[in-house]
Amino acid sequence: MVMLHTLAFMAGTAIAMPHLMNDPVALRNARDLIARRADHISRATQDPLGVSKAETNCGPVSCPTFSEADQHITLTGQYAYASPGAGDIRGPCPGLNAAANHGYLPRNGIASIEQTVAGLGTLYNLAPDATAFLAAYAIATDGNLAEGMWSIGGPLPADPISAGLLGTGQGISYSHNSYEGDASIGRNDAYTNHGDAHSLNITKFEAVYALGGPEDRYTLDKFRSRFEAVQDESIANNPYYFTGLFSTVVVVPAAYNFVINLMSNHSAAVPSGYLDGYNFKTFFGVSGNPGSFVWNRGQERVPEDWYRRPSYNPYNVPAVVEDLAIGYAAYPNTLKIGGNTGKPNSFTGVNVADLSGGVYHAETLFQGNNFACFAFQLMQQGIPDFLNNAILDLGTVTSFINKYVGSYMGGLGCPQLGQYDLGLFDQFPGYKYSPTGPATNYRE
Ligand code: HEM
């Protein structure tokens, strides 16, 4: 695997779009970097880089071989499908919901880091580095740090022992701007749906489903192009549209890539993986046909005879980052930091140099490790805004998260910087919009 130290951390980043987008030097740098890093991918000729279109469903590194023993997923016995029970939690993430419905995550939807790493590794071959970080971030911002647990959906049930001291988190269903963000694949923007960004919008699903085309196949490139279209729809319809720091710039586009990399069937016939409409619908809990699709809430499942990506190519942090970077290079309009100012179609970009006190500049953002460092620091700087309990100590939270990204970030040699000027976001009403959830689980 080509290590992408030069690019972002989980990060997407990028930034003050109008400036970056209009700057040919910055764009050229970005493109050169991506091209160098992805030189193992055979070139196609149809997009500006050819890289996005050339990628297989295994991501930046190919998966040329298949092993039945390694890749077959057991869906019987302890891993048999069962619909969630009355007290079980499900949320905005079909990958997590399906894992819980098959017992690869605890069926109640509440997990520790260890359970998450083991379960998602076995089921999807999502690598420990990426999984541990994702779970740690969920615990720190929207979970229960004292007990080291997080919820894949709504608020954690009150714990009489610790609730009084540390409180419990809202879960990722109500993690708007900390984890969950606008312009999702199938969920509504929180503001335009009364705070509910975890239920599938079947019309939105139908639009992305149509990308399969007559060949009935989905690719990373098709999903990246869809991300741009969904952003445009959100900007046109959501007066509170906001590219929350880590959430909308990293998590949301990463989720588009997760569908292809982790839900594709990496079968003997197609070791690099394919995703067809049947697999896509099954993972998303959707039945029926276009025009009459039905979302079966909480019924996300793993298809029969489905093979995960191979052990020799886990989907790890460098691959997640590389896929984000390839997407941003191929679809530069998707690189945005800013928001609508209270009306539809009022998107205003924030300048990266202003935001970072001059430490980063759009012109050099894709040079060296800048992209990685900027994104990581963006995430860290956003944490105080998103802590759901003022009693939690910021230092404790930050060092908890750092434990899971320290080894990756340690090698990057990031520049020291002071405080990001998050005040620049005050002009965007979506920045502080923070819906909270019901006292129960995914059942409204
Ligand atoms: C610890 C691991 C994970 C965490 C904490 C996590 C968290 C999240 C969150 C917060 C969202 C909402 C983002 C948004 O606003 O669009 C989301 C969406 C999503 N996630 Fe995950 N996720 C994890 C693993 C996975 C895996 C393993 C897969 C695929 C197998 C996956 C696929 C998706 C998809 C497809 C969406 C978008 C759903 C939609 O918009 O309809 N995630 N995830």
Side-chain angles (χ1 to χ4, degrees), residues 369-417:
N369 295 328
N370 287 348
F371 186 61
C373 294
F374 176 78
F376 176 68
Q377 290 165 345
L378 199 60
M379 178 201 67
Q380 282 187 319
Q381 303 255 338
I383 289 172
D385 275 353
F386 303 129
L387 280 185
N388 54 34
N389 190 322
I391 297 169
L392 284 176
D393 170 60
L394 180 58
T396 309
V397 172
T398 309
S399 58
F400 177 75
I401 293 178
N402 284 350
K403 260 201 309 198
Y404 296 93
V405 288
S407 61
Y408 180 73
M409 293 307 300
L412 299 181
C414 297
Q416 291 288 329
L417 83 169

Short mmCIF file of all heavy atoms in Angstrom, two decimals, residues 369-417:
data_model
loop_
_atom_site.label_atom_id
_atom_site.label_comp_id
_atom_site.label_asym_id
_atom_site.label_seq_id
_atom_site.Cartn_x
_atom_site.Cartn_y
_atom_site.Cartn_z
N ASN A 369 2.92 17.32 3.90
CA ASN A 369 1.89 16.73 4.75
C ASN A 369 0.78 17.71 5.10
O ASN A 369 0.00 17.47 6.03
CB ASN A 369 2.52 16.21 6.05
CG ASN A 369 3.47 15.08 5.79
OD1 ASN A 369 3.26 14.30 4.86
ND2 ASN A 369 4.52 14.99 6.58
N ASN A 370 0.75 18.83 4.42
CA ASN A 370 -0.17 19.89 4.82
C ASN A 370 -1.62 19.44 4.90
O ASN A 370 -2.34 19.78 5.84
CB ASN A 370 -0.07 21.07 3.85
CG ASN A 370 1.22 21.84 4.03
OD1 ASN A 370 1.92 21.63 5.03
ND2 ASN A 370 1.55 22.69 3.10
N PHE A 371 -2.03 18.70 3.91
CA PHE A 371 -3.43 18.29 3.86
C PHE A 371 -3.78 17.46 5.08
O PHE A 371 -4.81 17.67 5.75
CB PHE A 371 -3.64 17.52 2.56
CG PHE A 371 -5.05 17.13 2.24
CD1 PHE A 371 -6.03 18.08 2.06
CD2 PHE A 371 -5.39 15.79 2.08
CE1 PHE A 371 -7.33 17.73 1.73
CE2 PHE A 371 -6.68 15.42 1.75
CZ PHE A 371 -7.66 16.38 1.58
N ALA A 372 -2.91 16.51 5.39
CA ALA A 372 -3.14 15.65 6.55
C ALA A 372 -3.15 16.47 7.85
O ALA A 372 -4.02 16.31 8.70
CB ALA A 372 -2.06 14.58 6.63
N CYS A 373 -2.16 17.32 7.98
CA CYS A 373 -2.03 18.09 9.22
C CYS A 373 -3.21 19.05 9.40
O CYS A 373 -3.79 19.15 10.47
CB CYS A 373 -0.74 18.88 9.19
SG CYS A 373 0.72 17.84 9.23
N PHE A 374 -3.55 19.73 8.34
CA PHE A 374 -4.64 20.69 8.43
C PHE A 374 -5.93 19.99 8.86
O PHE A 374 -6.65 20.46 9.75
CB PHE A 374 -4.85 21.38 7.08
CG PHE A 374 -6.02 22.31 7.06
CD1 PHE A 374 -5.93 23.57 7.63
CD2 PHE A 374 -7.22 21.92 6.49
CE1 PHE A 374 -7.02 24.42 7.64
CE2 PHE A 374 -8.31 22.77 6.49
CZ PHE A 374 -8.21 24.02 7.07
N ALA A 375 -6.19 18.89 8.25
CA ALA A 375 -7.44 18.18 8.54
C ALA A 375 -7.47 17.67 9.97
O ALA A 375 -8.48 17.77 10.66
CB ALA A 375 -7.61 17.04 7.56
N PHE A 376 -6.35 17.12 10.40
CA PHE A 376 -6.30 16.59 11.75
C PHE A 376 -6.50 17.71 12.76
O PHE A 376 -7.25 17.58 13.74
CB PHE A 376 -4.95 15.92 11.97
CG PHE A 376 -4.75 15.42 13.37
CD1 PHE A 376 -5.51 14.36 13.85
CD2 PHE A 376 -3.82 15.99 14.21
CE1 PHE A 376 -5.35 13.90 15.13
CE2 PHE A 376 -3.64 15.54 15.49
CZ PHE A 376 -4.40 14.49 15.96
N GLN A 377 -5.84 18.82 12.52
CA GLN A 377 -5.97 19.94 13.45
C GLN A 377 -7.37 20.54 13.39
O GLN A 377 -7.90 20.99 14.40
CB GLN A 377 -4.88 20.97 13.15
CG GLN A 377 -3.51 20.43 13.53
CD GLN A 377 -2.34 21.20 12.95
OE1 GLN A 377 -2.49 21.99 12.03
NE2 GLN A 377 -1.16 20.96 13.49
N LEU A 378 -7.95 20.50 12.23
CA LEU A 378 -9.33 20.97 12.08
C LEU A 378 -10.26 20.14 12.98
O LEU A 378 -11.12 20.67 13.67
CB LEU A 378 -9.74 20.81 10.63
CG LEU A 378 -10.92 21.58 10.08
CD1 LEU A 378 -10.71 23.07 10.21
CD2 LEU A 378 -11.12 21.23 8.61
N MET A 379 -10.04 18.85 12.94
CA MET A 379 -10.86 17.98 13.78
C MET A 379 -10.64 18.29 15.26
O MET A 379 -11.59 18.46 16.01
CB MET A 379 -10.51 16.52 13.51
CG MET A 379 -11.29 15.56 14.38
SD MET A 379 -10.51 13.96 14.51
CE MET A 379 -9.03 14.29 15.43
N GLN A 380 -9.38 18.39 15.65
CA GLN A 380 -9.09 18.66 17.05
C GLN A 380 -9.69 19.98 17.51
O GLN A 380 -10.25 20.09 18.59
CB GLN A 380 -7.58 18.73 17.26
CG GLN A 380 -6.92 17.39 17.30
CD GLN A 380 -5.46 17.53 17.67
OE1 GLN A 380 -4.78 18.43 17.20
NE2 GLN A 380 -4.99 16.64 18.51
N GLN A 381 -9.55 20.98 16.65
CA GLN A 381 -10.01 22.31 17.05
C GLN A 381 -11.52 22.37 17.15
O GLN A 381 -12.07 23.20 17.85
CB GLN A 381 -9.51 23.34 16.05
CG GLN A 381 -8.00 23.35 15.89
CD GLN A 381 -7.34 24.53 16.57
OE1 GLN A 381 -7.98 25.54 16.81
NE2 GLN A 381 -6.08 24.41 16.90
N GLY A 382 -12.18 21.48 16.43
CA GLY A 382 -13.63 21.47 16.48
C GLY A 382 -14.19 20.80 17.72
O GLY A 382 -15.35 21.01 18.07
N ILE A 383 -13.38 20.01 18.38
CA ILE A 383 -13.90 19.21 19.49
C ILE A 383 -14.60 20.03 20.58
O ILE A 383 -15.68 19.66 21.03
CB ILE A 383 -12.80 18.31 20.08
CG1 ILE A 383 -12.45 17.21 19.08
CG2 ILE A 383 -13.23 17.69 21.41
CD1 ILE A 383 -11.25 16.39 19.46
N PRO A 384 -14.01 21.15 21.02
CA PRO A 384 -14.68 21.88 22.10
C PRO A 384 -16.12 22.26 21.75
O PRO A 384 -16.99 22.27 22.60
CB PRO A 384 -13.83 23.15 22.26
CG PRO A 384 -12.53 22.82 21.65
CD PRO A 384 -12.76 21.77 20.62
N ASP A 385 -16.35 22.54 20.48
CA ASP A 385 -17.70 22.93 20.07
C ASP A 385 -18.69 21.79 20.18
O ASP A 385 -19.88 22.00 20.29
CB ASP A 385 -17.68 23.36 18.59
CG ASP A 385 -17.29 24.80 18.45
OD1 ASP A 385 -17.17 25.48 19.48
OD2 ASP A 385 -17.09 25.24 17.31
N PHE A 386 -18.18 20.59 20.08
CA PHE A 386 -19.09 19.47 19.93
C PHE A 386 -19.21 18.59 21.17
O PHE A 386 -19.94 17.61 21.16
CB PHE A 386 -18.66 18.61 18.73
CG PHE A 386 -18.59 19.40 17.47
CD1 PHE A 386 -17.47 19.38 16.66
CD2 PHE A 386 -19.66 20.20 17.08
CE1 PHE A 386 -17.42 20.13 15.50
CE2 PHE A 386 -19.62 20.95 15.93
CZ PHE A 386 -18.49 20.91 15.13
N LEU A 387 -18.48 18.92 22.19
CA LEU A 387 -18.60 18.12 23.40
C LEU A 387 -20.01 18.28 23.94
O LEU A 387 -20.51 19.38 24.08
CB LEU A 387 -17.60 18.59 24.45
CG LEU A 387 -16.19 18.07 24.25
CD1 LEU A 387 -15.32 18.50 25.41
CD2 LEU A 387 -16.19 16.57 24.11
N ASN A 388 -20.64 17.15 24.22
CA ASN A 388 -22.03 17.25 24.62
C ASN A 388 -22.20 17.39 26.14
O ASN A 388 -23.30 17.41 26.64
CB ASN A 388 -22.83 16.06 24.07
CG ASN A 388 -22.19 14.75 24.46
OD1 ASN A 388 -21.62 14.65 25.54
ND2 ASN A 388 -22.27 13.77 23.57
N ASN A 389 -21.13 17.43 26.84
CA ASN A 389 -21.25 17.61 28.28
C ASN A 389 -20.10 18.49 28.76
O ASN A 389 -18.93 18.11 28.67
CB ASN A 389 -21.20 16.26 28.98
CG ASN A 389 -21.55 16.39 30.44
OD1 ASN A 389 -21.18 17.37 31.09
ND2 ASN A 389 -22.28 15.41 30.95
N ALA A 390 -20.45 19.64 29.26
CA ALA A 390 -19.43 20.62 29.64
C ALA A 390 -18.53 20.09 30.76
O ALA A 390 -17.42 20.60 30.96
CB ALA A 390 -20.10 21.91 30.08
N ILE A 391 -18.98 19.07 31.48
CA ILE A 391 -18.17 18.56 32.58
C ILE A 391 -16.94 17.83 32.07
O ILE A 391 -15.92 17.75 32.73
CB ILE A 391 -19.02 17.62 33.48
CG1 ILE A 391 -20.14 18.41 34.10
CG2 ILE A 391 -18.18 16.97 34.56
CD1 ILE A 391 -21.19 17.56 34.78
N LEU A 392 -17.05 17.32 30.84
CA LEU A 392 -15.90 16.60 30.30
C LEU A 392 -14.74 17.56 30.08
O LEU A 392 -14.90 18.64 29.54
CB LEU A 392 -16.28 15.93 28.98
CG LEU A 392 -17.14 14.68 29.09
CD1 LEU A 392 -17.51 14.19 27.69
CD2 LEU A 392 -16.43 13.59 29.85
N ASP A 393 -13.59 17.10 30.48
CA ASP A 393 -12.40 17.92 30.37
C ASP A 393 -11.84 17.81 28.94
O ASP A 393 -11.64 16.71 28.42
CB ASP A 393 -11.38 17.43 31.40
CG ASP A 393 -10.04 18.06 31.17
OD1 ASP A 393 -9.98 19.29 31.25
OD2 ASP A 393 -9.09 17.32 30.89
N LEU A 394 -11.57 18.95 28.34
CA LEU A 394 -11.14 18.96 26.94
C LEU A 394 -9.84 18.18 26.74
O LEU A 394 -9.68 17.42 25.80
CB LEU A 394 -10.99 20.40 26.47
CG LEU A 394 -10.55 20.58 25.03
CD1 LEU A 394 -11.51 19.92 24.07
CD2 LEU A 394 -10.42 22.07 24.72
N GLY A 395 -8.91 18.39 27.67
CA GLY A 395 -7.62 17.70 27.56
C GLY A 395 -7.79 16.19 27.58
O GLY A 395 -7.13 15.45 26.84
N THR A 396 -8.68 15.72 28.44
CA THR A 396 -8.92 14.27 28.53
C THR A 396 -9.46 13.75 27.21
O THR A 396 -9.03 12.71 26.70
CB THR A 396 -9.97 13.99 29.64
OG1 THR A 396 -9.56 14.66 30.81
CG2 THR A 396 -10.12 12.50 29.89
N VAL A 397 -10.39 14.49 26.66
CA VAL A 397 -11.01 14.06 25.41
C VAL A 397 -9.99 14.04 24.28
O VAL A 397 -9.87 13.07 23.53
CB VAL A 397 -12.18 15.00 25.04
CG1 VAL A 397 -12.70 14.69 23.65
CG2 VAL A 397 -13.28 14.89 26.06
N THR A 398 -9.22 15.12 24.19
CA THR A 398 -8.26 15.21 23.10
C THR A 398 -7.20 14.12 23.21
O THR A 398 -6.85 13.47 22.22
CB THR A 398 -7.59 16.60 23.11
OG1 THR A 398 -8.62 17.57 23.14
CG2 THR A 398 -6.76 16.82 21.87
N SER A 399 -6.70 13.88 24.42
CA SER A 399 -5.65 12.86 24.51
C SER A 399 -6.22 11.46 24.28
O SER A 399 -5.54 10.58 23.77
CB SER A 399 -4.90 12.95 25.84
OG SER A 399 -5.78 12.80 26.90
N PHE A 400 -7.50 11.29 24.61
CA PHE A 400 -8.15 10.00 24.33
C PHE A 400 -8.16 9.74 22.82
O PHE A 400 -7.79 8.67 22.35
CB PHE A 400 -9.58 10.02 24.89
CG PHE A 400 -10.38 8.78 24.60
CD1 PHE A 400 -10.13 7.61 25.29
CD2 PHE A 400 -11.37 8.79 23.63
CE1 PHE A 400 -10.87 6.46 25.03
CE2 PHE A 400 -12.11 7.65 23.36
CZ PHE A 400 -11.86 6.48 24.06
N ILE A 401 -8.56 10.74 22.06
CA ILE A 401 -8.59 10.57 20.60
C ILE A 401 -7.17 10.43 20.04
O ILE A 401 -6.91 9.59 19.17
CB ILE A 401 -9.32 11.76 19.94
CG1 ILE A 401 -10.80 11.74 20.32
CG2 ILE A 401 -9.17 11.72 18.42
CD1 ILE A 401 -11.60 12.89 19.78
N ASN A 402 -6.26 11.22 20.58
CA ASN A 402 -4.89 11.19 20.06
C ASN A 402 -4.25 9.81 20.19
O ASN A 402 -3.39 9.44 19.39
CB ASN A 402 -4.03 12.23 20.79
CG ASN A 402 -4.32 13.63 20.29
OD1 ASN A 402 -5.03 13.80 19.30
ND2 ASN A 402 -3.80 14.62 20.97
N LYS A 403 -4.68 9.06 21.21
CA LYS A 403 -4.13 7.72 21.39
C LYS A 403 -4.31 6.87 20.14
O LYS A 403 -3.54 6.00 19.84
CB LYS A 403 -4.89 7.02 22.54
CG LYS A 403 -4.16 7.05 23.85
CD LYS A 403 -4.64 5.96 24.81
CE LYS A 403 -6.13 5.91 25.00
NZ LYS A 403 -6.61 5.21 26.16
N TYR A 404 -5.40 7.15 19.42
CA TYR A 404 -5.74 6.30 18.28
C TYR A 404 -5.26 6.85 16.95
O TYR A 404 -5.39 6.21 15.93
CB TYR A 404 -7.25 6.04 18.26
CG TYR A 404 -7.66 5.28 19.48
CD1 TYR A 404 -8.10 5.93 20.62
CD2 TYR A 404 -7.53 3.90 19.52
CE1 TYR A 404 -8.43 5.24 21.76
CE2 TYR A 404 -7.85 3.19 20.66
CZ TYR A 404 -8.30 3.86 21.79
OH TYR A 404 -8.59 3.17 22.91
N VAL A 405 -4.74 8.04 16.95
CA VAL A 405 -4.21 8.57 15.69
C VAL A 405 -2.76 9.01 15.85
O VAL A 405 -2.13 9.39 14.88
CB VAL A 405 -5.03 9.78 15.17
CG1 VAL A 405 -6.36 9.32 14.64
CG2 VAL A 405 -5.20 10.84 16.22
N GLY A 406 -2.25 8.91 17.08
CA GLY A 406 -0.91 9.42 17.36
C GLY A 406 0.16 8.80 16.48
O GLY A 406 1.02 9.50 15.96
N SER A 407 0.10 7.48 16.28
CA SER A 407 1.18 6.86 15.53
C SER A 407 1.15 7.32 14.07
O SER A 407 2.19 7.50 13.44
CB SER A 407 1.10 5.33 15.62
OG SER A 407 -0.11 4.91 15.07
N TYR A 408 -0.04 7.50 13.56
CA TYR A 408 -0.14 7.97 12.18
C TYR A 408 0.31 9.42 12.08
O TYR A 408 1.12 9.79 11.21
CB TYR A 408 -1.58 7.83 11.67
CG TYR A 408 -1.76 8.30 10.25
CD1 TYR A 408 -1.28 7.55 9.19
CD2 TYR A 408 -2.41 9.50 9.98
CE1 TYR A 408 -1.44 7.99 7.88
CE2 TYR A 408 -2.56 9.93 8.68
CZ TYR A 408 -2.08 9.18 7.63
OH TYR A 408 -2.23 9.62 6.35
N MET A 409 -0.20 10.25 12.99
CA MET A 409 0.08 11.67 12.91
C MET A 409 1.53 11.98 13.29
O MET A 409 2.11 12.95 12.81
CB MET A 409 -0.86 12.46 13.83
CG MET A 409 -2.30 12.43 13.39
SD MET A 409 -2.54 12.94 11.69
CE MET A 409 -1.90 14.60 11.73
N GLY A 410 2.08 11.13 14.17
CA GLY A 410 3.42 11.39 14.69
C GLY A 410 4.45 11.55 13.58
O GLY A 410 5.38 12.35 13.69
N GLY A 411 4.28 10.80 12.51
CA GLY A 411 5.26 10.83 11.43
C GLY A 411 5.08 12.00 10.48
O GLY A 411 5.88 12.17 9.56
N LEU A 412 4.07 12.79 10.68
CA LEU A 412 3.78 13.82 9.68
C LEU A 412 4.52 15.14 9.91
O LEU A 412 4.66 15.93 8.99
CB LEU A 412 2.27 14.10 9.64
CG LEU A 412 1.37 12.94 9.25
CD1 LEU A 412 -0.09 13.37 9.23
CD2 LEU A 412 1.76 12.36 7.91
N GLY A 413 4.97 15.36 11.14
CA GLY A 413 5.69 16.61 11.41
C GLY A 413 4.84 17.83 11.15
O GLY A 413 5.26 18.77 10.46
N CYS A 414 3.68 17.85 11.72
CA CYS A 414 2.75 18.96 11.46
C CYS A 414 3.25 20.26 12.09
O CYS A 414 3.86 20.24 13.16
CB CYS A 414 1.37 18.63 12.02
SG CYS A 414 0.61 17.22 11.23
N PRO A 415 2.99 21.38 11.44
CA PRO A 415 3.40 22.66 12.03
C PRO A 415 2.60 22.99 13.28
O PRO A 415 1.45 22.57 13.42
CB PRO A 415 3.07 23.66 10.91
CG PRO A 415 2.04 23.00 10.07
CD PRO A 415 2.30 21.53 10.16
N GLN A 416 3.25 23.70 14.18
CA GLN A 416 2.55 24.20 15.36
C GLN A 416 1.59 25.29 14.91
O GLN A 416 1.90 26.06 14.03
CB GLN A 416 3.54 24.82 16.34
CG GLN A 416 4.47 23.83 17.00
CD GLN A 416 3.73 22.99 18.02
OE1 GLN A 416 2.78 23.46 18.63
NE2 GLN A 416 4.16 21.74 18.19
N LEU A 417 0.48 25.33 15.54
CA LEU A 417 -0.38 26.47 15.24
C LEU A 417 -1.17 26.85 16.48
O LEU A 417 -1.28 26.07 17.41
CB LEU A 417 -1.33 26.20 14.07
CG LEU A 417 -2.62 25.45 14.31
CD1 LEU A 417 -3.48 25.54 13.07
CD2 LEU A 417 -2.35 24.00 14.61
#
